[in-house]
Amino acid sequence: MKGKGAEKAVLNTLKYRLSEKQALSLYRSICRFLVSKDQESYTKMLRLKYALLQDDVDSYICDYLVMASLLKLMELKYPLILSALTSLTLHQS
């Protein structure tokens, strides 16, 4: 993941303006959480990313779609965790 697509997905989905570095940090935090607590959802996300890359989708669009789907998943299943991870990301120096 490069960051620009993730940054735009966060802005469109959560209405927070993050830097590329912050968006990547949020992405990694969400992935770490899913690996430890919801491996099925993490596997589905990896399959989506792999399918997009196999179809030669532009990396910006791939990053945007993967991050947007992760954020939607987190909003549905783990809204408090998403809120905490987002807050931590926003307030890290």
Side-chain angles (χ1 to χ4, degrees):
M1 181 156 298
K2 296 193 175 164
K4 279 287 188 196
E7 179 183 351
K8 186 68 173 176
V10 171
L11 180 62
N12 290 345
T13 306
L14 300 179
K15 309 300 185 229
Y16 289 114
R17 186 172 300 279
L18 301 180
S19 68
E20 280 184 63
K21 184 178 177 181
Q22 289 173 318
L24 288 173
S25 176
L26 180 60
Y27 171 78
R28 289 184 193 112
S29 296
I30 291 170
C31 288
R32 278 192 298 272
F33 172 77
L34 290 176
V35 164
S36 66
K37 299 296 181 191
D38 191 350
Q39 292 180 359
E40 182 179 338
S41 294
Y42 183 72
T43 303
K44 287 179 184 178
M45 186 275 305
L46 285 177
R47 287 183 182 146
L48 169 66
K49 189 170 185 175
Y50 181 74
L52 291 169
L53 292 172
Q54 286 293 93
D55 289 340
D56 291 326
V57 174
D58 181 63
S59 65
Y60 173 85
I61 295 169
C62 178
D63 292 349
Y64 178 88
L65 293 172
V66 168
M67 186 64 166
S69 68
L70 272 178
L71 293 172
K72 291 292 185 188
L73 168 81
M74 292 297 288
E75 283 180 330
L76 291 173
K77 292 177 96 173
Y78 309 104
L80 292 175
I81 300 296
L82 178 60
S83 178
L85 293 175
T86 304
S87 181
L88 286 171
T89 301
L90 283 169
H91 295 93
Q92 285 179 343
S93 53

